[in-house]
């Protein structure tokens, strides 16, 4: 499939007779369908490019994986991409968690928006980042308030990830 990069969005034109973009959205739950295009975030597009499922073009020049990764690094999104890729490879369906103050919402395999609620909120923290106890408590409180588990993804300087499942408990 061919995607066009513009303003950090990769658009795949849905042409008559072409079912691949629709299947990518409906079966694999990538992106959003808007008008006659499937629009992917740069993170989703990079994942599909790495997996050989998408070719990305910017002004008719084909983008390499390295070029897209450089764009992610320029925007401080590479750590987020590493977590996205790891969770996607583990079979999770991933959607934005912006509404909940987190990076992602996770659905277990076989589920997604419209097929039930997400199971986790993912908050990404870099190993050298100092976190305020009140901020941490607010992450836990929000996830508990919307009946989700909080998955804390700690990313180190080598972009290795350690996950912690955080749950609210009453004393």
């Amino acid at each position: 499939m061919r995607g066009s990069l513009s303003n950090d969005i990769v658009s795949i034109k849905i042409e008559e007779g072409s079912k691949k973009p629709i299947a990518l959205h409906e079966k694999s739950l990538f992106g959003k369908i808007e008008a006659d295009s499937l629009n992917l975030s740069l993170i989703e597009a990079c994942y599909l490019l790495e997996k050989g499922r998408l070719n990305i073009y910017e002004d008719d020049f084909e983008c390499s994986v390295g070029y897209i990764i450089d764009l992610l690094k320029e925007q401080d999104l590479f750590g987020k991409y590493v977590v996205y890729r790891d969770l996607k490879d583990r079979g999770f369906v991933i959607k934005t968690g912006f509404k909940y103050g987190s990076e992602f919402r996770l659905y277990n395999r076989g589920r997604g928006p419209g097929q039930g609620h997400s199971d986790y909120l993912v908050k990404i923290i870099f190993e050298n980042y100092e976190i305020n106890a009140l901020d941490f408590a607010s992450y836990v409180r929000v996830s508990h308030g919307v009946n989700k588990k909080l998955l804390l993804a700690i990313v180190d300087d080598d972009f290795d990830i350690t996950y912690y499942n955080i749950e609210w408990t009453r004393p």
Side-chain angles (χ1 to χ4, degrees):
M1 270 185 301
R2 179 186 174 113
S4 299
L5 173 62
S6 178
N7 298 321
D8 299 329
I9 298 291
V10 175
S11 297
I12 303 169
K13 188 120 173 104
I14 300 172
E15 297 172 359
E16 195 169 325
S18 172
K19 295 180 181 174
K20 284 186 177 182
I22 294 170
L24 189 62
H25 175 71
E26 290 179 355
K27 290 183 181 177
S28 301
L29 301 168
F30 282 98
K32 290 181 184 177
I33 292 184
E34 296 175 6
D36 63 345
S37 295
L38 173 61
N39 294 329
L40 304 169
S41 70
L42 203 52
I43 287 174
E44 290 174 309
C46 187
Y47 180 81
L48 291 168
L49 178 63
E50 269 195 324
K51 297 298 179 185
R53 296 177 65 191
L54 178 67
N55 295 316
I56 301 173
Y57 291 82
E58 184 177 41
D59 300 323
D60 289 328
F61 293 100
E62 189 168 6
C63 301
S64 67
V65 172
Y67 175 75
I68 300 298
I69 286 176
D70 285 345
L71 290 177
L72 291 170
K73 287 179 178 178
E74 286 172 15
Q75 298 175 30
D76 286 328
L77 292 174
F78 185 67
K80 185 174 179 178
Y81 173 68
V82 170
V83 172
Y84 177 93
R85 181 179 60 199
D86 183 62
L87 293 169
K88 197 74 174 162
D89 287 346
R90 292 172 188 254
F92 288 101
V93 172
I94 305 170
K95 290 297 186 184
T96 182
F98 179 75
K99 177 172 146 179
Y100 302 104
S102 64
E103 279 72 27
F104 304 121
R105 289 175 289 142
L106 292 187
Y107 296 82
N108 284 321
R109 184 183 300 251
R111 295 182 53 208
Q115 302 164 342
H117 295 286
S118 59
D119 300 293
Y120 297 92
L121 295 179
V122 179
K123 186 70 181 168
I124 300 171
I125 298 176
F126 291 89
E127 185 177 50
N128 56 3
Y129 177 76
E130 290 184 24
I131 185 167
N132 179 308
L134 294 175
D135 290 340
F136 184 74
S138 73
Y139 304 150
V140 177
R141 195 175 328 109
V142 167
S143 64
H144 176 74
V146 293
N147 296 320
K148 297 175 189 343
K149 296 175 188 156
L150 177 63
L151 191 63
L152 202 59
I154 308 296
V155 180
D156 70 16
D157 291 337
D158 295 324
F159 294 99
D160 292 324
I161 310 158
T162 304
Y163 295 102
Y164 295 95
N165 184 15
I166 311 295
E167 295 184 38
W168 181 274
T169 58
R170 294 197 187 272

